[in-house]
């Protein structure tokens, strides 16, 4: 088995697109939630809050690439460009020789071409339907656009698995390198914000309706939580076989040491704490660690009623009630396909710097949730060698990743 390290990270998030900016905003304790007046058109939508990336400017990329991209691929490719630059491989022709692959995902493709197809079904008109409409809306649009944009000829692993798209991508990329199938993998997830995307959760009564007080929601693990807020963004991790990274003198952010992934096999939308716990146990076993080694857990923490309860009890059953936990969704909402990668990025950087951001709006922990050591109020200074990032998706898909601090 090969050792796998993170040598490049790039992201586009509602809190910023570089770690210095993001860390400062985490320190301020304010979220990026706002009232989405763009959704006033949807008359029956209850939750009208979102976390958009308002400052993203489309780079001046060649038109031949842009034709196949919708916004979700714009975000994915931009994050991947940043990761390659951070890893010192942007523009390096050697990455196109097959040694680098892609594992990437999103909940779905872009919404605009889907709107065009829907109009065709409704009216019979093919106006606006183009040769690239399907390419922009297909489930694996992020994975293939990242691969084609950078000319990568390694394996492509699409991970369109809703809220575990990003974490599965990192896990599957890690396994591809660990088993010697690839030397490098670009891994991550992306999501674009849309009214229909919010409506998916709204119809399940799972979105926050604090439309007039966006700063006070979402509230993961809080007694007064009333649902999630949908966000958008993208994050890419450049994973690399450790000896390959050392040979080229790459800077190493962290090491990926454990990955667990399974499914509940019971219900499409209702989580099961027992199988969530198994995923965490699988990650610990893969890393060869005991529960006591984990110094911090980046929780999925969506602020939904059943999700928070199930996750907290699963975490406590595996790691004990004393483990420090916080949810980054309290800052940027639920970025769906991006969250597994985004939250891994932030957990790695906080581990490197020795501080962990609290869950904001967690004023009164729900007694129905397990009595974990929820980080609240101020950042917590923790010197730990290992952090865990957990994510759970529709379909009962559970993932757990463990990262080790690099000396």
């Amino acid at each position: 088995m090969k050792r796998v390290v993170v040598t490049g990270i790039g992201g586009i998030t509602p809190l910023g697109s570089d770690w210095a900016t993001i860390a400062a905003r985490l320190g301020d304790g304010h979220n990026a939630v706002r009232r989405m007046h763009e959704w006033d058109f949807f008359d029956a939508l209850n939750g009208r809050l979102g976390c958009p990336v308002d400052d993203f400017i489309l780079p001046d990329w060649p038109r031949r690439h842009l034709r196949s991209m919708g916004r979700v691929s714009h975000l994915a490719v931009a994050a991947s460009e940043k990761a390659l630059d951070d890893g010192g491989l942007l523009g390096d022709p050697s990455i196109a020789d097959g040694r680098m692959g892609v594992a990437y995902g999103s909940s779905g493709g872009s919404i605009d071409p889907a709107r065009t197809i829907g109009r065709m079904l409704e009216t019979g008109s093919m106006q606006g339907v183009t040769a690239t409409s399907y390419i922009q809306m297909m489930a694996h649009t992020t994975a293939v656009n990242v691969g084609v944009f950078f000319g990568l000829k390694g394996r492509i692993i699409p991970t369109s698995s809703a809220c575990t798209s990003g974490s599965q991508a990192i896990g599957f990329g890690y396994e591809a390198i660990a088993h010697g199938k690839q030397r490098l993998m670009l891994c991550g997830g992306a999501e674009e914000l849309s009214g229909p995307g919010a409506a998916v959760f709204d119809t399940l009564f799972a979105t926050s309706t604090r439309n007039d007080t966006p700063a006070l929601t979402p509230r993961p693990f809080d007694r007064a939580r009333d649902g999630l807020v949908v966000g958008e963004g993208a994050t890419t991790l450049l994973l690399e076989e450790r000896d390959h990274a050392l040979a080229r003198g790459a800077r190493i952010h962290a090491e990926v040491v454990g990955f667990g992934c399974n499914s509940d096999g019971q219900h499409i939308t209702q989580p099961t704490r027992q199988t969530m716990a198994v995923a965490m146990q699988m990650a610990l076993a893969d890393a060869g660690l005991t529960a006591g080694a984990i110094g911090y857990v980046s929780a999925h923490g969506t602020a939904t009623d059943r999700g928070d309860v199930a996750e907290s009890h699963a975490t406590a059953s595996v790691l004990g009630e004393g483990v420090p936990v916080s949810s980054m969704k309290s800052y940027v909402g639920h970025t769906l396909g991006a969250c597994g990668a985004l939250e891994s990025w932030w957990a790695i950087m906080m581990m490197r710097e020795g501080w962990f951001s609290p869950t904001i709006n967690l004023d009164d922990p729900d007694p129905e949730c397990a009595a974990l050591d929820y980080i609240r109020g101020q950042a917590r200074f923790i010197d730990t060698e290992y952090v865990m990032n957990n994510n759970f998706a529709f379909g009962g898909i559970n993932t757990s990743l463990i990262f080790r601090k690099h000396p």
Side-chain angles (χ1 to χ4, degrees), residues 356-381:
F356 294 90
S357 198
T359 301
I360 56 174
N361 293 321
L362 179 48
D363 300 327
D364 183 15
D366 186 353
E368 293 296 316
C369 292
L372 297 168
D373 182 10
Y374 299 105
I375 302 176
R376 299 192 288 148
Q378 302 295 322
R380 179 91 57 87
F381 293 94

Side-chain angles (χ1 to χ4, degrees), residues 239-283:
L239 303 189
E240 188 167 353
E241 193 270 314
R242 183 174 179 270
D243 289 343
H244 186 274
L246 293 174
R248 70 179 185 88
R251 176 183 57 179
I252 296 175
H253 292 293
E255 183 174 359
V256 188
V257 295
F259 174 54
C261 182
N262 66 356
S263 60
D264 295 343
Q266 293 189 42
H267 197 282
I268 295 295
T269 58
Q270 299 301 328
T272 303
R273 66 179 68 174
Q274 291 84 359
T275 37
M276 288 177 162
V278 170
M280 299 179 211
Q281 292 165 342
M282 292 169 67

Side-chain angles (χ1 to χ4, degrees), residues 6 25 35 42 50 65 93 97 133 136 144 194-195 210 273 276 286 299 337 340 393:
V6 182
R25 294 192 65 182
R35 173 72 179 254
F42 306 118
H65 289 305
D97 65 358
S133 292
Q136 294 177 14
V144 297
S194 71
R210 296 174 182 263
R273 66 179 68 174
M276 288 177 162
D286 189 41

Side-chain angles (χ1 to χ4, degrees), residues 1-4 103 155 157 167-183 185 187 239 256-262 282-283 286 400-401:
M1 296 286 287
K2 309 291 185 181
R3 294 174 65 180
V4 183
R155 58 176 57 188
I157 306 173
S167 50
Q168 276 196 322
I170 295 169
F172 294 161
Y174 153 73
E175 290 179 338
I177 296 172
H179 289 279
K181 306 302 181 182
Q182 297 283 173
R183 290 290 185 86
M185 292 288 294
C187 307
L239 303 189
V256 188
V257 295
F259 174 54
C261 182
N262 66 356
M282 292 169 67
D286 189 41
S400 183
L401 288 160

Side-chain angles (χ1 to χ4, degrees), residues 128-150:
V129 179
T130 71
T132 57
S133 292
Y134 171 70
I135 307 301
Q136 294 177 14
M137 65 183 282
M138 64 188 184
H140 60 308
T141 186
T142 54
V144 297
N145 272 297
V146 167
V148 169
F149 188 89
F150 298 107

